[in-house]
mmCIF file of all heavy atoms in Angstrom:
data_model
loop_
_atom_site.group_PDB
_atom_site.id
_atom_site.type_symbol
_atom_site.label_atom_id
_atom_site.label_comp_id
_atom_site.label_asym_id
_atom_site.label_seq_id
_atom_site.Cartn_x
_atom_site.Cartn_y
_atom_site.Cartn_z
ATOM 1 N N SER A 699 149.853 32.985 -62.433
ATOM 2 C CA SER A 699 150.444 31.794 -61.833
ATOM 3 C C SER A 699 151.936 32.076 -61.703
ATOM 4 O O SER A 699 152.651 32.192 -62.711
ATOM 5 C CB SER A 699 150.196 30.557 -62.701
ATOM 6 O OG SER A 699 150.829 29.419 -62.138
ATOM 7 N N MET A 700 152.425 32.199 -60.464
ATOM 8 C CA MET A 700 153.787 32.671 -60.227
ATOM 9 C C MET A 700 154.528 31.698 -59.326
ATOM 10 O O MET A 700 154.086 31.415 -58.211
ATOM 11 C CB MET A 700 153.744 34.066 -59.593
ATOM 12 C CG MET A 700 152.987 35.072 -60.455
ATOM 13 S SD MET A 700 152.571 36.640 -59.627
ATOM 14 C CE MET A 700 151.323 36.104 -58.446
ATOM 15 N N ARG A 701 155.649 31.210 -59.824
ATOM 16 C CA ARG A 701 156.443 30.240 -59.077
ATOM 17 C C ARG A 701 157.672 30.960 -58.502
ATOM 18 O O ARG A 701 158.348 31.710 -59.188
ATOM 19 C CB ARG A 701 156.874 29.096 -60.009
ATOM 20 C CG ARG A 701 157.492 27.897 -59.293
ATOM 21 C CD ARG A 701 157.857 26.801 -60.278
ATOM 22 N NE ARG A 701 156.686 26.200 -60.892
ATOM 23 C CZ ARG A 701 155.989 25.200 -60.363
ATOM 24 N NH1 ARG A 701 156.379 24.682 -59.198
ATOM 25 N NH2 ARG A 701 154.948 24.704 -60.985
ATOM 26 N N GLN A 702 157.946 30.754 -57.222
ATOM 27 C CA GLN A 702 159.078 31.433 -56.576
ATOM 28 C C GLN A 702 160.389 31.150 -57.320
ATOM 29 O O GLN A 702 160.602 30.031 -57.800
ATOM 30 C CB GLN A 702 159.202 30.951 -55.128
ATOM 31 C CG GLN A 702 158.068 31.359 -54.229
ATOM 32 C CD GLN A 702 158.271 30.888 -52.796
ATOM 33 O OE1 GLN A 702 159.330 30.375 -52.425
ATOM 34 N NE2 GLN A 702 157.247 31.051 -51.962
ATOM 35 N N PRO A 703 161.245 32.207 -57.403
ATOM 36 C CA PRO A 703 161.082 33.566 -56.861
ATOM 37 C C PRO A 703 160.300 34.466 -57.827
ATOM 38 O O PRO A 703 160.450 34.341 -59.034
ATOM 39 C CB PRO A 703 162.526 34.050 -56.710
ATOM 40 C CG PRO A 703 163.255 33.353 -57.821
ATOM 41 C CD PRO A 703 162.604 32.003 -57.960
ATOM 42 N N TRP A 704 159.488 35.358 -57.273
ATOM 43 C CA TRP A 704 158.739 36.280 -58.128
ATOM 44 C C TRP A 704 158.396 37.550 -57.342
ATOM 45 O O TRP A 704 158.351 37.558 -56.117
ATOM 46 C CB TRP A 704 157.460 35.635 -58.654
ATOM 47 C CG TRP A 704 156.484 35.232 -57.570
ATOM 48 C CD1 TRP A 704 156.428 34.029 -56.918
ATOM 49 C CD2 TRP A 704 155.449 36.051 -56.999
ATOM 50 N NE1 TRP A 704 155.427 34.033 -55.980
ATOM 51 C CE2 TRP A 704 154.801 35.259 -56.013
ATOM 52 C CE3 TRP A 704 155.012 37.357 -57.213
ATOM 53 C CZ2 TRP A 704 153.741 35.745 -55.243
ATOM 54 C CZ3 TRP A 704 153.954 37.846 -56.453
ATOM 55 C CH2 TRP A 704 153.330 37.039 -55.490
ATOM 56 N N THR A 779 152.234 34.480 -66.357
ATOM 57 C CA THR A 779 152.950 33.309 -65.842
ATOM 58 C C THR A 779 154.402 33.695 -65.570
ATOM 59 O O THR A 779 155.061 34.290 -66.422
ATOM 60 C CB THR A 779 152.915 32.148 -66.852
ATOM 61 O OG1 THR A 779 151.554 31.837 -67.163
ATOM 62 C CG2 THR A 779 153.582 30.906 -66.275
ATOM 63 N N ILE A 780 154.889 33.354 -64.376
ATOM 64 C CA ILE A 780 156.265 33.649 -63.997
ATOM 65 C C ILE A 780 156.939 32.358 -63.537
ATOM 66 O O ILE A 780 156.385 31.625 -62.707
ATOM 67 C CB ILE A 780 156.325 34.702 -62.872
ATOM 68 C CG1 ILE A 780 155.708 36.028 -63.333
ATOM 69 C CG2 ILE A 780 157.759 34.932 -62.417
ATOM 70 C CD1 ILE A 780 155.677 37.106 -62.262
ATOM 71 N N ASN A 781 158.142 32.090 -64.109
ATOM 72 C CA ASN A 781 158.928 30.901 -63.758
ATOM 73 C C ASN A 781 158.128 29.609 -63.919
ATOM 74 O O ASN A 781 158.087 28.757 -63.013
ATOM 75 C CB ASN A 781 159.462 31.005 -62.322
ATOM 76 C CG ASN A 781 160.499 32.100 -62.171
ATOM 77 O OD1 ASN A 781 161.153 32.488 -63.139
ATOM 78 N ND2 ASN A 781 160.632 32.619 -60.961
ATOM 79 N N LYS A 782 157.503 29.467 -65.052
ATOM 80 C CA LYS A 782 156.646 28.308 -65.311
ATOM 81 C C LYS A 782 157.374 26.986 -65.090
ATOM 82 O O LYS A 782 156.797 26.010 -64.595
ATOM 83 C CB LYS A 782 156.117 28.384 -66.747
ATOM 84 C CG LYS A 782 155.181 27.250 -67.122
ATOM 85 C CD LYS A 782 154.651 27.448 -68.529
ATOM 86 C CE LYS A 782 153.681 26.328 -68.910
ATOM 87 N NZ LYS A 782 153.134 26.538 -70.275
ATOM 88 N N HIS A 783 158.648 26.928 -65.458
ATOM 89 C CA HIS A 783 159.395 25.668 -65.375
ATOM 90 C C HIS A 783 160.314 25.591 -64.160
ATOM 91 O O HIS A 783 161.197 24.743 -64.088
ATOM 92 C CB HIS A 783 160.211 25.465 -66.659
ATOM 93 C CG HIS A 783 159.370 25.455 -67.903
ATOM 94 N ND1 HIS A 783 158.442 24.476 -68.155
ATOM 95 C CD2 HIS A 783 159.315 26.340 -68.942
ATOM 96 C CE1 HIS A 783 157.849 24.728 -69.316
ATOM 97 N NE2 HIS A 783 158.352 25.848 -69.799
ATOM 98 N N GLY A 784 160.088 26.495 -63.197
ATOM 99 C CA GLY A 784 160.907 26.487 -61.995
ATOM 100 C C GLY A 784 160.476 25.400 -61.020
ATOM 101 O O GLY A 784 159.609 24.569 -61.302
ATOM 102 N N HIS A 785 161.070 25.423 -59.828
ATOM 103 C CA HIS A 785 160.782 24.387 -58.833
ATOM 104 C C HIS A 785 160.265 24.970 -57.515
ATOM 105 O O HIS A 785 160.035 24.220 -56.560
ATOM 106 C CB HIS A 785 162.051 23.563 -58.562
ATOM 107 C CG HIS A 785 162.601 22.899 -59.796
ATOM 108 N ND1 HIS A 785 162.001 21.812 -60.387
ATOM 109 C CD2 HIS A 785 163.691 23.203 -60.564
ATOM 110 C CE1 HIS A 785 162.689 21.452 -61.459
ATOM 111 N NE2 HIS A 785 163.729 22.282 -61.583
ATOM 112 N N GLY A 786 160.081 26.292 -57.443
ATOM 113 C CA GLY A 786 159.607 26.911 -56.208
ATOM 114 C C GLY A 786 158.107 26.739 -56.021
ATOM 115 O O GLY A 786 157.397 26.238 -56.891
ATOM 116 N N LYS A 787 157.634 27.183 -54.869
ATOM 117 C CA LYS A 787 156.208 27.097 -54.563
ATOM 118 C C LYS A 787 155.417 28.051 -55.466
ATOM 119 O O LYS A 787 155.898 29.118 -55.833
ATOM 120 C CB LYS A 787 155.952 27.434 -53.097
ATOM 121 C CG LYS A 787 156.528 26.412 -52.131
ATOM 122 C CD LYS A 787 156.208 26.786 -50.689
ATOM 123 C CE LYS A 787 156.763 25.748 -49.719
ATOM 124 N NZ LYS A 787 156.466 26.092 -48.304
ATOM 125 N N VAL A 788 154.188 27.638 -55.784
ATOM 126 C CA VAL A 788 153.356 28.401 -56.707
ATOM 127 C C VAL A 788 152.314 29.223 -55.947
ATOM 128 O O VAL A 788 151.727 28.745 -54.970
ATOM 129 C CB VAL A 788 152.638 27.463 -57.698
ATOM 130 C CG1 VAL A 788 151.644 28.244 -58.560
ATOM 131 C CG2 VAL A 788 153.651 26.753 -58.588
ATOM 132 N N THR A 789 152.119 30.451 -56.401
ATOM 133 C CA THR A 789 151.029 31.297 -55.936
ATOM 134 C C THR A 789 150.184 31.678 -57.147
ATOM 135 O O THR A 789 150.727 32.095 -58.168
ATOM 136 C CB THR A 789 151.549 32.576 -55.263
ATOM 137 O OG1 THR A 789 152.263 32.235 -54.072
ATOM 138 C CG2 THR A 789 150.393 33.511 -54.886
#
Side-chain angles (χ1 to χ4, degrees):
S699 177
M700 302 167 290
R701 191 179 293 274
Q702 293 182 8
W704 62 270
T779 304
I780 298 178
N781 292 336
K782 182 177 181 179
H783 302 295
H785 301 287
K787 293 181 179 180
V788 174
T789 295

